[in-house]
Amino acid sequence: MARYIFITGGVVSSLGKGLASAALGALLQARGYSVRLRKLDPYLNVDPGTMSPFEHGEVFVTDDGAETDLDLGHYERFTGVPARKTDSISSGRIYSNVLEKERRGDYLGKTIQVVPHVTNEIKDYLRIGEDEVDFMLCEIGGTVGDIEGLPFFEAIRQFIHERPRGECILLHLTLLPYLAASGELKTKPTQHSVKELQSIGLAPDVLLLRSEHPIPQKEREKIALFCNVRKESVIAAYDLKTIYEAPLAYHREGLDQAVLDAFGISPAPRPNLTRWEDVMDRMTHAEGEVRVAIVGKYTQLGDAYKSIAEALTHGGMANRTRVKVEWVDAELFEREDPAPYLSPFHAILVPGGFGERGTEGKIKAVEFARTRKVPYLGICLGMQMAVIETARNLAGVTDAGSEEFDHEAGGKRFTPVIYHLKEWVQGNHVVERKVTDDKGGSMRLGAYSAHLTPGSKVAEIYGATEIEERHRHRYEVDMTYRDKLEACGLMFSGISPDGKLPEIVEIKNHPWFIGVQFHPELKSKPFAPHPLFADFVRAAVEASRLV
Ligand code: GLN
């Protein structure tokens, strides 16, 4: 049965709980343990699928088709363990399950209450898969003291109480603010946030303290004494140059040792940190720099394309080069010629997206990349834009467009080369959906396989002709245009196993032009860069040598 580590946060939000959890997971793996990471979010949305990227950053999709919090992306990037639907849960999902059971009569007419019905639902959820790993790391979103987080904290209190002693620990992350006037780090907010935890019956075993300044021994002792934590378990979390430094940095400060001590595991297995030493070596010993433009809609907010930014960094690591990403607002090219803006870049990427806004600008960016022979990677909507560009400018379908935009505008303005998918095959059954389905549930989501054409550029890059990648979209390229588009040089080099859905397009007569219907960025890791991103950055390096 798994041991449980609960990770909570105090004082302020955005302290990097997700990163700390992911790094701790990586460190436990380095000591030979198996781990699973989980996120419990107090918000009332049933899942983040319908939340705006402005609100909540990217939606991370799992193999089993769940739309989850972007923290699950961190978990996967640090541990390589594929997250599941059951690794992300919100209050909304918990309440929705409880209410569904109530309507079904499962509670036999009882009065339904937060305690025990909601807390029991949370505890049941925590136990899923407990026999599969050595450690289950459960991060609670938000900050201790938030009203909406209370049912989770109460459920955890009960869970710890019900388990045999020594099977659960609590790690609390806080901030030590620095007062420049007195030149001091202040410990009081941390003391208060631990008090807050204690008032609901929880006591931290390990404290992880974010600080911009070195934490003097005297302050550590004070925190240990007043927060009732051993002084070796008061761990500093200093600011990092890159997130991938976290495992080595936290290890140096003694985080994993403190966690194993708290469980009474002695002697602790020795860690093997070569994976992370290699990652850091690649990051710190990079030569040169390539510039990549991401032409998209949510450019003000890096988190909206978190996994793409990370996958490009991994691609840089594979080539020992730095990748400088710049976000370019697609709408700009609806008014202006893209050439002066895009010429300084060694590669162009059009990411996934929803809705018509900015698409004409993205099509201009594709045209620029195709005609100027600049490496181009189109992801999901970015692939659809590449198809529309070829259809309009080479195949004579001058009013080519996507049904998505006509559907939004409520009229018919385009010849749809991208159409709404009404049914598709998943495993060995057919899924059927209508446009009018709930926004939350009408997409092709999760892992699907594709056959790659032998001899194609993608088959060479993957070194395989069978692949599996994650999807999140409603619309598909219309296969009936295949011959016409291929005659213009846009090859359909990846197709779904039933031969019906185009998964990849590429242009042979171009240094690097690939569009994919799926999201390769979701599977890239610093220690295993995704082949498409590694090769895309390689092509950018080549382009940078030409200028
Ligand atoms: N909006 C497009 C679709 O639904 C693309 C989605 C995406 O880029 N993730 O098919």
Side-chain angles (χ1 to χ4, degrees):
M1 240 181 344
R3 293 179 166 98
Y4 279 77
I5 303 171
F6 294 103
I7 298 123
T8 59
V11 181
V12 292
S13 59
S14 306
L15 283 179
K17 264 195 317 268
L19 176 62
S21 310
L24 176 57
L27 288 174
L28 291 169
Q29 284 181 321
R31 295 209 186 231
Y33 294 112
S34 59
V35 299
R36 177 161 289 285
L37 285 113
R38 239 164 222 181
K39 177 84 192 273
L40 291 81
D41 266 313
Y43 54 72
L44 284 172
N45 303 64
V46 172
D47 64 42
T50 48
M51 279 160 107
S52 155
F54 287 119
E55 290 273 328
H56 203 68
E58 144 188 293
V59 172
F60 190 81
V61 181
T62 57
D63 278 335
D64 59 3
E67 298 178 279
T68 68
D69 189 270
L70 57 81
D71 273 323
L72 269 73
H74 282 315
Y75 300 167
E76 280 202 23
R77 281 188 284 274
F78 278 82
T79 63
V81 176
R84 298 179 190 151
K85 209 171 239 160
T86 44
D87 292 331
S88 161
I89 195 134
S90 64
S91 294
R93 164 66 61 206
I94 294 282
Y95 278 98
S96 144
N97 289 356
V98 168
L99 295 176
E100 204 177 293
K101 286 185 186 169
E102 188 272 334
R103 292 290 83 189
R104 263 202 326 249
D106 290 8
Y107 299 119
L108 305 173
K110 286 254 178 328
T111 308
I112 309 307
Q113 294 177 297
V114 172
V115 182
H117 300 96
V118 169
T119 46
N120 281 352
E121 189 71 26
I122 297 171
K123 286 190 287 179
D124 286 348
Y125 163 78
L126 287 172
R127 283 188 280 263
I128 297 171
E130 63 180 336
D131 295 328
E132 294 173 26
V133 288
D134 299 319
F135 287 97
M136 194 79 91
L137 287 78
C138 306
E139 176 193 348
I140 325 299
T143 310
V144 57
D146 296 346
I147 292 176
E148 51 185 18
L150 276 174
F152 284 121
F153 285 99
E154 170 59 14
I156 289 167
R157 188 195 65 76
Q158 295 179 10
F159 189 89
I160 296 174
H161 175 75
E162 286 160 8
R163 288 255 157 175
R165 211 181 267 282
E167 271 190 16
C168 304
I169 68 159
L170 199 138
L171 188 158
H172 190 55
L173 178 66
T174 72
L175 174 73
L176 291 192
Y178 179 74
L179 281 196
S182 55
E184 279 178 315
L185 284 170
K186 304 308 285 184
T187 65
K188 196 67 95 189
T190 296
Q191 295 181 41
H192 278 296
S193 108
V194 170
K195 262 209 185 100
E196 187 80 44
L197 273 177
Q198 287 168 340
S199 73
I200 48 179
L202 289 168
D205 297 280
V206 179
L207 282 176
L208 189 59
L209 307 172
R210 287 294 306 271
S211 171
E212 286 174 21
H213 295 268
I215 307 173
Q217 193 55 29
K218 185 170 104 295
E219 302 303 321
R220 290 182 197 236
E221 283 167 14
K222 184 165 149 194
I223 292 169
L225 183 64
F226 292 125
C227 296
N228 206 19
V229 169
R230 288 174 179 275
K231 71 174 184 300
E232 312 75 48
S233 300
V234 177
I235 310 288
Y238 298 123
D239 293 351
L240 305 169
K241 278 200 277 308
T242 134
I243 54 170
Y244 297 121
E245 209 184 324
L248 294 181
Y250 292 169
H251 174 70
R252 262 197 314 273
E253 294 298 328
L255 176 64
D256 42 333
Q257 187 62 54
V259 164
L260 296 173
D261 285 348
F263 280 111
I265 298 175
S266 176
R270 292 179 68 80
N272 175 355
L273 294 163
T274 46
R275 169 185 272 186
W276 295 102
E277 282 154 4
D278 180 54
V279 163
M280 282 318 292
D281 181 61
R282 286 176 177 275
M283 284 209 93
T284 44
H285 297 98
E287 283 162 26
E289 179 177 280
V290 292
R291 304 181 63 192
V292 178
I294 300 189
V295 183
K297 191 160 68 168
Y298 302 110
T299 48
Q300 305 92 314
L301 195 81
D303 269 2
Y305 302 119
K306 184 79 190 147
S307 293
I308 292 187
E310 294 307 323
L312 284 169
T313 303
H314 307 160
M317 287 154 80
N319 291 279
R320 285 196 186 262
T321 187
R322 272 181 298 278
V323 179
K324 186 157 189 294
V325 171
E326 269 178 53
W327 313 92
V328 183
D329 183 2
E331 278 180 292
L332 184 64
F333 305 148
E334 290 170 10
R335 303 182 296 271
E336 297 190 45
D337 177 13
Y341 295 96
L342 293 181
S343 299
F345 293 100
H346 306 119
I348 296 170
L349 189 153
V350 173
F354 292 83
E356 185 171 10
R357 190 157 67 79
T359 50
E360 290 301 324
K362 292 177 190 173
I363 294 168
K364 287 267 167 47
V366 175
E367 182 179 2
F368 177 88
R370 179 178 60 78
T371 54
R372 303 286 188 100
K373 304 231 181 283
V374 181
Y376 175 79
L377 174 58
I379 294 178
C380 210
L381 187 68
M383 171 209 191
Q384 298 174 355
M385 295 299 104
V387 168
I388 293 175
E389 196 275 329
T390 299
R392 284 188 192 175
N393 296 334
L394 297 177
V397 191
T398 50
D399 61 348
S402 167
E403 234 178 62
E404 177 172 11
F405 315 145
D406 271 342
H407 174 62
E408 267 189 353
K412 193 157 167 36
R413 296 166 300 150
F414 298 115
T415 296
V417 293
I418 316 291
Y419 73 107
H420 186 258
L421 184 69
K422 307 211 173 50
E423 60 172 49
W424 62 88
V425 179
Q426 183 166 39
N428 47 16
H429 73 281
V430 176
V431 188
E432 247 184 277
R433 291 277 155 74
K434 292 191 236 28
V435 184
T436 49
D437 274 1
D438 280 358
K439 274 243 165 10
S442 58
M443 283 197 265
R444 184 149 83 99
L445 281 169
Y448 284 86
S449 37
H451 291 311
L452 310 185
T453 312
S456 62
K457 191 174 267 169
V458 281
E460 189 192 318
I461 292 171
Y462 274 94
T465 49
E466 295 294 322
I467 60 160
E468 202 180 72
E469 294 281 5
R470 295 184 194 167
H471 289 245
R472 179 173 184 251
H473 57 109
R474 289 191 182 85
Y475 297 84
E476 300 280 348
V477 175
D478 188 341
M479 205 57 161
T480 55
Y481 288 93
R482 180 177 189 169
D483 292 346
K484 213 171 194 165
L485 293 169
E486 291 204 326
C488 302
L490 189 74
M491 310 310 290
F492 285 35
S493 52
I495 311 275
S496 64
D498 63 0
K500 288 194 177 143
L501 304 172
E503 293 276 1
I504 305 177
V505 294
E506 65 179 58
I507 298 180
K508 269 250 156 77
N509 187 19
H510 187 287
W512 210 100
F513 189 105
I514 293 173
V516 292
Q517 188 57 77
F518 46 81
H519 291 275
E521 71 275 18
L522 301 179
K523 284 173 69 164
S524 191
K525 322 269 182 319
F527 46 85
H530 191 287
L532 280 176
F533 280 90
D535 207 62
F536 180 57
V537 172
R538 186 199 52 72
V541 172
E542 233 162 68
S544 74
R545 294 206 177 111
L546 294 176
V547 285

